[in-house]
Amino acid sequence: MEDMVLTNDERRCLQMWFRQAIAKIETEEVTRSLMREHAADTTAARVGGHPSISVRRAPRSRFARIVKQLV
């Protein structure tokens, strides 16, 4: 099987596509994380407790790390 040689335009197109895919995945992860934290905060407030404040970065998926290394 022969290795395919990509043109510079094809390489740039793939890099942009991967960057967009990574950005979308990270946005979805942050959204899910914030929704979970917000739901926990509102539940604690309704019960009478104090919502905890935590600053955590959403974990990056394994896929995103591998793709970022390729780009």
Side-chain angles (χ1 to χ4, degrees):
M1 185 168 127
E2 290 184 32
D3 290 335
M4 292 183 58
V5 177
L6 298 176
T7 65
N8 285 337
D9 287 338
E10 291 171 329
R11 187 179 310 271
R12 275 183 290 193
C13 183
L14 283 172
Q15 285 176 341
M16 286 190 303
W17 184 85
F18 279 119
R19 287 180 184 143
Q20 288 174 343
I22 291 168
K24 182 178 179 183
I25 289 170
E26 288 178 342
T27 301
E28 291 172 354
E29 288 177 347
V30 169
T31 302
R32 274 193 298 266
S33 174
L34 291 174
M35 300 263 302
R36 273 186 295 214
E37 287 179 17
H38 179 68
D41 289 348
T42 57
T43 302
R46 272 188 249 133
V47 174
H50 297 285
S52 62
I53 299 173
S54 62
V55 178
R56 282 183 268 154
R57 185 168 187 258
R60 295 181 67 147
S61 68
R62 183 174 177 219
F63 172 76
R65 279 182 280 164
I66 291 171
V67 171
K68 195 165 191 171
Q69 289 174 358
L70 294 174
V71 174

